[in-house]
Amino acid sequence: MSGGDPLGGGDPLGGGDPPGGGDSPVLEAVGVSKHFGGQWALRDVDFSVRPGSIHALVGENGAGKSTLIRLFAGIHEPDAGVIRVRGAEQRIRSPRDARDLSVGFLHQQLHLVPDLSVRENLLLATGYPTGRASKVNWSRVNDVAEEFLALAGTSVDPRAQVGDLPSAQQQLVAFARVLLQRPDVIFLDEPTAALGEADSRHMLEVLRDQRERGRTIVYISHRLDEVLELCEVVTVLRDGKLVSTTSTRDLTRDELVRMLGGVPDEHAAPKPTAVAARADAPPRLELRDVVTSGGSAAVSLEVHPGEVLGLAGLVGSGRSRFATALFGMTPITSGTVLVDGEAVDVGSVQKALRNGIVLVPENRADALVHDFGIAPNVSLGHVDRHAAAGIFISRRREAEPAREFVRRFSIRGSKDVDEVGLLSGGNQQKVLLARALDLNPKILILDEPTAGIDIATKQFIYRLTRELAATGMSIVFISSELEEISLVADRIAVWKGGRQVEELPAGTSRAAIVARLFAGSSEAA
């Protein structure tokens, strides 16, 4: 660690003269191809970005977006083709090379260190400012951390441990770290996937401000309305190949969906079945005045057999804490949880599983073992079932349910032995769903199940949710995408301050849900 202040001063989003505009690309990939294990991730793709623009890169999961990003990031090198930065051909062999070229990245996997504080995570890449005797100047560290956290849209305490933060706050911390590095070009891979309405809007405003300062943004998102609102140009990839690069000026959402290979009319879930048929049945899950560790209010609610309860709330409203408490990951300090009318103990994951409660968590990166194949990831909750002679895991027994889920869920381009870390985000989410269903739950909690995945996989999850409900399973569906809650849920619980404050019927419009979420808030407008 060198003495002095590696952060410099001046414009917090500056760090040098902004790159000029013009038609010469600031970034180019010319005829790039990349394959893994005999499968092509990219084939002869051309991609170029003008300086000072916001350029969208879209495609279904597995289309090649992440691979293309990793070529510019120095994580992979192309098997064919060239990469140019500011007109000069570059061989980017490491993330350090990319950073030296003033290219920054916010990947879907945030690469934060959970056991370090927010401020320590922010300055890992830039180095810590020091004072006398080369001691860290923590006062300066705090000032810088607060400044860039505010720019990223969060007021989280810089001293807080990152591992204690919800996923949405971790996303904003990672975004602040990217801004702190002051890159000329910023790649953002699904930056709003874990964010609620207000935080998403703020991030879009920050990106517009970056463009005004001359920065170049490459924006990767499955939220097509955001793409059309924010970006000037959109590049579409499908099956590792370039489909088109088009101005968004006159492009409609339906046209963009067709380019992606989807059918706009299918952007809907099967209609919820009538709740009246289940209303007389005893609740499958009942909470009576349940208070969680760190929670701010007592929660009372019911979920009936065959019902989908949607939870709509802003980031920090306590939805995920509620989910982890039911799954034995967050302590319940008071109140009663009942399953099929009987009080149960969900004080650990094992106890929750014994009572038929299964959680698909919001952060799939932390829930999967990336170096393992699909089969061991699916079987993690049922290792004992696949043991031979009670000691050794039988790979044959382990593989059988995984192969069935691969077929049933159409997990693309993979065998049951493939490393999960090499799969696209949508296919990873299908693996998590397979693990959950392999546990045969009575009550399934889906926390942000469609975050960062393509339209086709979203529609699959919508259909699967309704199909599972039709079998009598009780489902709690937590999402920051209000349209999908309206599509999927039988009832919608509006969540504030760690508890349900209002109940809305199926089909309630997004605008009506937003109005309830922001009721009494200065952000309601």
Side-chain angles (χ1 to χ4, degrees):
M1 183 190 309
S2 60
D5 188 345
L7 301 172
D11 182 355
L13 294 179
D17 295 328
D23 294 327
S24 298
V26 64
L27 290 177
E28 284 183 284
V30 183
V32 295
S33 298
K34 183 69 182 176
H35 65 83
F36 300 97
Q39 296 183 7
W40 289 97
L42 291 172
R43 294 208 66 170
D44 196 27
V45 169
D46 293 332
F47 177 70
S48 64
V49 183
R50 291 188 303 103
S53 68
I54 303 182
H55 190 123
L57 178 63
V58 301
E60 291 189 4
N61 288 107
K65 306 183 304 296
S66 294
T67 301
L68 183 59
I69 297 167
R70 289 166 182 158
L71 297 184
F72 285 105
I75 298 170
H76 303 314
E77 290 191 70
D79 297 322
V82 298
I83 300 290
R84 297 193 185 111
V85 180
R86 299 177 192 86
E89 185 173 330
Q90 300 288 346
R91 187 178 179 188
I92 309 175
R93 291 173 288 188
S94 70
R96 179 179 291 276
D97 288 345
R99 192 172 136 205
D100 290 344
L101 291 166
S102 196
V103 183
F105 298 85
L106 179 61
H107 297 286
Q108 284 195 56
Q109 294 183 29
L110 303 179
H111 301 295
L112 297 170
V113 183
D115 293 333
L116 294 182
S117 67
V118 169
R119 61 185 182 178
E120 288 169 321
N121 270 276
L122 286 180
L123 277 77
L124 277 175
T126 57
Y128 300 101
T130 56
R132 292 180 179 178
S134 296
K135 292 184 178 180
V136 174
N137 183 342
W138 288 110
S139 175
R140 172 67 176 147
V141 169
N142 288 335
D143 289 344
V144 171
E146 289 174 356
E147 181 178 22
F148 281 88
L149 289 167
L151 289 168
T154 177
S155 57
V156 63
D157 184 352
R159 298 172 182 81
Q161 187 168 307
V162 161
D164 294 336
L165 301 178
S167 293
Q169 293 289 356
Q170 291 186 26
Q171 183 86 5
L172 295 172
V173 169
F175 182 46
R177 184 173 62 184
V178 175
L179 295 179
L180 179 57
Q181 295 173 30
R182 299 176 172 88
D184 291 338
V185 182
I186 306 174
F187 281 78
L188 299 108
D189 193 356
E190 297 292 349
T192 62
L195 304 183
E197 186 87 10
D199 288 326
S200 293
R201 302 306 305 175
H202 178 86
M203 181 169 281
L204 298 188
E205 288 304 316
V206 171
L207 296 180
R208 290 189 182 97
D209 182 64
Q210 290 284 288
R211 175 182 56 193
E212 293 303 312
R213 295 168 182 268
R215 296 306 183 271
T216 303
I217 308 294
V218 180
Y219 190 78
I220 300 94
S221 179
H222 291 302
R223 294 186 174 182
L224 301 187
D225 293 330
E226 287 182 1
V227 166
L228 293 173
E229 175 189 346
L230 179 68
C231 305
E232 298 107 53
V233 180
V234 57
T235 291
V236 179
L237 297 180
R238 191 192 308 163
D239 298 326
K241 299 177 182 178
L242 175 67
V243 174
S244 70
T245 295
T246 310
S247 168
T248 59
R249 187 179 301 110
D250 301 315
L251 187 64
T252 68
R253 190 183 189 280
D254 284 355
E255 289 168 340
L256 184 52
V257 170
R258 290 189 184 94
M259 289 179 183
L260 291 165
V263 180
D265 291 341
E266 291 182 356
H267 188 59
K271 295 299 181 184
T273 52
V275 180
R278 297 185 296 269
D280 294 335
R284 170 63 52 73
L285 173 69
E286 186 177 0
L287 275 65
R288 297 177 183 172
D289 299 322
V290 168
V291 177
T292 64
S293 174
S296 58
V299 176
S300 297
L301 57 78
E302 297 179 353
V303 188
H304 291 263
E307 183 178 27
V308 180
L309 175 67
L311 262 59
L314 302 175
V315 171
S317 62
R319 299 168 304 163
S320 293
R321 181 176 293 276
F322 159 76
T324 56
L326 280 182
F327 196 51
M329 298 171 65
T330 300
I332 292 177
T333 56
S334 64
T336 306
V337 177
L338 298 94
V339 175
D340 291 328
E342 295 187 6
V344 299
D345 179 4
V346 291
S348 69
V349 171
Q350 291 75 19
K351 291 177 181 178
L353 289 173
R354 282 199 293 270
N355 287 290
I357 301 173
V358 177
L359 168 68
V360 177
E362 62 176 330
N363 191 342
R364 59 178 169 264
D366 292 341
L368 294 167
V369 184
H370 287 248
D371 293 336
F372 282 12
I374 294 174
N377 269 283
V378 169
S379 69
L380 275 177
H382 261 320
V383 173
D384 56 336
R385 190 175 68 188
H386 307 298
I391 302 174
F392 302 105
I393 293 175
S394 167
R395 297 304 178 193
R396 179 185 58 80
R397 292 181 191 175
E398 179 185 69
E400 287 173 359
R403 288 196 181 106
E404 175 59 23
F405 280 116
V406 166
R407 182 198 62 77
R408 178 182 168 194
F409 288 2
S410 299
I411 299 178
R412 293 175 51 189
S414 62
K415 302 176 183 177
D416 59 289
V417 296
D418 285 349
E419 289 184 14
V420 163
L422 299 177
L423 301 180
S424 66
N427 285 318
Q428 290 181 358
Q429 191 70 10
K430 289 180 179 180
V431 172
L432 272 185
L433 287 166
R435 180 198 297 170
L437 296 186
D438 191 47
L439 292 165
N440 193 27
K442 294 180 181 178
I443 300 155
L444 179 62
I445 306 169
L446 303 174
D447 193 357
E448 301 288 359
T450 68
I453 62 175
D454 60 276
I455 289 176
T457 308
K458 284 184 179 183
Q459 292 169 358
F460 163 79
I461 291 176
Y462 301 157
R463 289 192 297 269
L464 179 65
T465 300
R466 295 309 316 175
E467 289 167 5
L468 294 172
T471 68
M473 191 180 297
S474 299
I475 298 174
V476 179
F477 193 100
I478 302 171
S479 177
S480 298
E481 295 199 30
L482 304 182
E483 295 92 339
E484 69 183 17
I485 285 185
S486 181
L487 285 169
V488 175
D490 294 301
R491 288 186 293 127
I492 302 167
V494 178
W495 205 263
K496 288 183 180 180
R499 66 185 178 92
Q500 177 182 337
V501 296
E502 187 173 0
E503 183 178 301
L504 303 174
T508 301
S509 69
R510 174 186 174 279
I513 299 173
V514 169
R516 302 308 201 282
L517 292 177
F518 287 105
S521 166
S522 61
E523 296 184 79

